[in-house]
Amino acid sequence: MQNRTIATHPFDDQKPGTSGLRKKTRVFQQPNYLENFVQAIFDSLENITGQTLVIGGDGRYFNRSAIQTIIKMAAANGFGKVIIGQGGLLSTPAASHLIRKNQAYGGLILSASHNPGGPDEDFGIKYDVSNGGPAPEKYTDAFYQRSQTICEYRIADLDDVDLDTLGEQGSDDFGIEIIDPVSDYAELMQQLFDFPLIREAIESGSITLRFDAMHAITGPYAKCIFEDLLGAAPGSVINAIPLEDFGGGHPDPNLAHAKELAETMFGTDAPTFGAASDGDGDRNMILGRNFFVTPSDSLAVLAANAQLIPAFKQGLVGVARSMPTSQAVDRVAKDYGIPCYETPTGWKYFGNLLDAGKIALCGEESFGTGANHVLEKDGLWAVLFWLNLLAVKGEPVSEIVHDHWRKFGRDIYSRHDYEAVATDIANGIFDHLREQLPDLPGQTFADNRVKYADEFSYKDPIDGSISRNQGIRIGFENGSRIVYRLSGTGTVGATLRIYLERYETDTSKHDQDAQQALAGLIELAEQLCEVKKRTGMNAPTVIT
Ligand code: VG1
Ligand code: CO
């Protein structure tokens, strides 16, 4: 095997965001762009010689060719072995599991998650460390630093690898193993949940199921788990074949993008349970018949009922949520007397807490839920958790959530996204908000008296690292909150996210429409940030 060293020049924009580096596919396809970033990662890691690297992606356009390049670079940089999902496919949680199971050094996951795919859409790459979790900030900072000074990369003169044939290829000093992407993951799920009980509920017809894989990575996993192992009727998994462009849609599991599923679940003769996942399989959307479960509520319901699931028989040691996620799970933690941590947005901040055994369950408002079985959020795992719960309780989804609200109150919640805002306007909005922060506490807007107004920063309780500027929070005496953040996953301009929540204990008001219930806060949020005024947009691009 001949290694070559190729001269290159830095690109100035290789700073990883909330979850890896995401750019337009054509940016990644520029000569040396992918190579530079991969070499910057390899250069930042220590002692990789002879180690194992897991590689896989969500199957989007450019996945296969990126994987061929990465394999050759891994060989030239001294890795001893690569483990690759067949066809170059691995869901993010499955990749995390494989890293852990094989005691690999780390993994490279090719995905831009819920962003659309194709030659004119998005591509992405992220690195997971040996615990199977996303590289913490100290790594991603190092990757970026290295990318700014890089002047060469190393690549081996290897033939393209046959990604489709299972088994071992390669040589004694560089092993290449193509594995079935689904089987290890499906086996893990069977250890965590009561499959016979769920199967019985599905076979008896008490649970009827529709899962929308959105032409993304979870198709083959969902077919195996729901249809083959749990006996759901063939066709229960829709849009099951991963496509390079996800069929032209956004593989983003929300009511706006998972239209087909939403129509079914809110139509006549809806199944009792519906769910969807995103491009790389780490997000989940949960629906009942005629009922949408907000991700923040889902996290709280799972936390409150965790002991009904085999994996959590002993209860939870602690929970965590990202800062903008609603405070619903805090109420459960308080009731159970367990700690609840508040972290910045992005799964990488949960890793230390999970690893240190401080928490067993965590989640984000952006349709992400997960636990300590892998160190990524896990879409199908969350769906199985709900199925297990439904099988134990024998109640409809809406009843379970209403019961929860009766006990804990409802945190009425919504997120408004303004996409593709010009960067200078977005910065202006934040400067304007920052100027107001010192004067807000004590002011009253309608029935909302401001308790605190600040910019969130987080000190990791395990390694003491500090992450600043993680979003602006305005909290009110009555428990309501408005949070403003700029997205770190977009590829065009800036995306402003406004998170709104209001706490409601009056059960007669629990069925209110969230947009109506939050109307006052929505108006106040605009008054304070002026996004509509400054951009000329008259409505959010997406409301979830
Ligand atoms: C978004 C979500 C965040 C999530 C991240 C990655 O980030 O808000 O909660 O962790 O996507 O999820 P941002 O910076 O755009 O708000 V995924 O499924 O895209 O890997
Ligand atoms: Co994702």
Side-chain angles (χ1 to χ4, degrees):
M1 187 175 73
Q2 197 71 26
N3 291 338
R4 283 184 299 143
T5 301
I6 313 279
T8 187
H9 296 287
F11 292 88
D12 63 8
D13 64 346
Q14 297 198 321
K15 190 171 174 54
T18 313
S19 179
L21 184 69
R22 293 188 193 171
K23 297 286 171 196
K24 287 285 167 207
T25 310
R26 291 197 197 281
V27 172
F28 264 105
Q29 287 179 305
Q30 296 172 84
N32 296 357
Y33 194 91
L34 171 75
E35 290 84 348
N36 273 20
F37 190 62
V38 171
Q39 188 65 51
I41 294 175
F42 291 165
D43 284 349
S44 310
L45 303 173
E46 282 166 9
N47 305 325
I48 54 179
T49 306
Q51 298 283 0
T52 298
L53 184 71
V54 170
I55 307 172
D58 63 10
R60 70 181 60 220
Y61 179 81
F62 193 51
N63 188 48
R64 280 178 171 263
S65 94
I67 288 178
Q68 296 291 355
T69 302
I70 292 170
I71 295 170
K72 293 170 195 170
M73 290 185 65
N77 279 275
F79 277 98
K81 182 177 179 183
V82 287
I83 298 176
I84 308 163
Q86 190 179 27
L89 299 178
L90 280 181
S91 78
T92 290
S96 178
H97 176 53
L98 285 170
I99 294 169
R100 293 158 70 87
K101 186 175 171 189
N102 293 285
Q103 291 171 340
Y105 188 88
L108 282 170
I109 302 173
L110 294 317
S111 171
S113 191
H114 56 290
N115 300 13
D120 296 315
E121 299 295 352
D122 293 353
F123 192 76
I125 177 167
K126 74 168 182 172
Y127 179 72
D128 274 10
V129 293
S130 60
N131 68 11
E137 234 171 30
K138 65 170 192 258
Y139 283 83
T140 54
D141 286 348
F143 302 161
Y144 177 57
Q145 290 308 328
R146 181 63 191 142
S147 78
Q148 295 310 288
T149 56
I150 197 158
C151 58
E152 57 184 40
Y153 67 84
R154 286 185 290 288
I155 190 157
D157 267 329
L158 285 176
D159 287 337
D160 271 3
V161 168
D162 171 4
L163 296 175
D164 299 303
T165 307
L166 292 175
E168 307 255 0
Q169 311 171 24
S171 59
D172 282 348
D173 42 330
F174 185 65
I176 300 169
E177 187 181 1
I178 308 292
I179 52 132
D180 173 34
V182 176
S183 53
D184 289 297
Y185 179 82
E187 197 184 300
L188 174 67
M189 291 302 116
Q190 291 174 80
Q191 291 161 18
L192 301 171
F193 299 107
D194 191 341
F195 270 54
L197 187 77
I198 303 173
R199 192 182 168 99
E200 209 179 289
I202 290 176
E203 280 175 349
S204 74
S206 75
I207 295 177
T208 49
L209 162 79
R210 184 67 50 93
F211 179 85
D212 190 346
M214 304 190 81
H215 287 305
I217 191 68
T218 51
Y221 294 84
K223 277 255 169 208
C224 164
I225 292 172
F226 300 134
E227 295 186 8
D228 301 344
L229 296 172
L230 291 172
S236 300
V237 178
I238 57 172
N239 301 318
I241 298 175
L243 299 176
E244 287 200 330
D245 68 348
F246 307 116
H250 285 238
D252 195 354
N254 58 40
L255 293 175
H257 293 305
K259 260 214 177 77
E260 186 179 346
L261 177 70
E263 274 162 20
T264 306
M265 296 308 296
F266 287 91
T268 43
D269 295 329
T272 62
F273 181 76
S277 190
D278 70 334
D280 62 329
D282 56 0
R283 296 187 179 203
N284 71 92
M285 174 170 68
I286 303 295
L287 299 166
R289 183 175 277 164
N290 276 303
F291 193 81
F292 167 68
V293 186
T294 68
S296 296
D297 278 344
S298 176
L299 175 65
V301 169
L302 299 187
N305 293 286
Q307 276 182 298
L308 300 177
I309 304 304
F312 295 126
K313 267 203 310 277
Q314 316 297 336
L316 301 171
V317 284
V319 293
R321 62 162 171 84
S322 67
M323 182 273 281
T325 302
S326 98
Q327 298 160 85
V329 74
D330 304 37
R331 305 182 199 288
V332 177
K334 193 166 174 223
D335 190 62
Y336 285 13
I338 56 172
C340 176
Y341 296 84
E342 185 180 42
T343 58
T345 294
W347 211 258
K348 56 177 175 271
Y349 297 103
F350 293 130
N352 277 348
L353 294 168
L354 287 164
D355 247 1
K358 299 268 182 211
I359 61 168
L361 179 73
C362 48
E364 297 191 278
E365 52 65 42
S366 55
F367 299 85
T369 331
N372 48 7
H373 65 288
V374 295
L375 259 73
E376 290 278 4
K377 58 186 187 260
D378 191 344
L380 289 174
W381 169 90
V383 174
L384 285 165
F385 199 144
W386 267 96
L387 283 171
N388 202 151
L389 214 59
L390 293 175
V392 173
K393 289 196 166 234
E395 290 168 6
V397 173
S398 68
E399 194 51 38
I400 292 176
V401 177
H402 277 92
D403 269 353
H404 186 91
W405 291 341
R406 273 191 286 274
K407 177 161 183 204
F408 295 99
R410 177 179 174 194
D411 291 271
I412 304 174
Y413 189 86
S414 183
R415 184 176 103 184
H416 289 196
D417 292 338
Y418 291 83
E419 293 176 356
V421 175
T423 313
D424 56 333
I425 296 186
N427 291 336
I429 288 173
F430 272 78
D431 290 342
H432 176 60
L433 281 168
R434 280 190 195 103
E435 277 163 25
Q436 298 172 76
L437 292 180
D439 298 328
L440 283 176
Q443 284 195 50
T444 301
F445 302 91
D447 55 349
N448 299 301
R449 188 179 153 86
V450 179
K451 189 172 170 191
Y452 61 88
D454 62 10
E455 202 151 5
F456 182 60
S457 60
Y458 176 69
K459 182 169 179 198
D460 186 293
I462 312 302
D463 65 19
S465 60
I466 294 177
S467 307
R468 295 179 215 281
N469 302 333
Q470 298 295 327
I472 286 180
R473 324 182 279 181
I474 303 175
F476 302 91
E477 303 280 358
N478 57 14
S480 293
R481 270 198 325 171
I482 301 174
V483 172
Y484 303 90
R485 260 190 81 246
L486 287 178
S487 158
T489 57
T491 57
V492 186
T495 293
L496 171 67
R497 305 201 194 286
I498 306 180
Y499 310 80
L500 307 134
E501 75 180 289
R502 184 163 86 69
Y503 183 48
E504 181 60 75
T505 47
D506 181 348
T507 47
S508 72
K509 293 184 179 156
H510 280 171
D511 277 320
Q512 287 178 93
D513 171 72
Q515 301 311 311
Q516 281 167 15
L518 295 167
L521 280 179
I522 293 170
E523 215 184 292
L524 176 56
E526 168 63 19
Q527 185 187 324
L528 296 171
C529 84
E530 301 180 340
V531 57
K532 289 183 182 151
K533 189 169 147 201
R534 288 167 183 249
T535 59
M537 296 166 84
N538 50 22
T541 323
V542 182
I543 295 180
T544 47

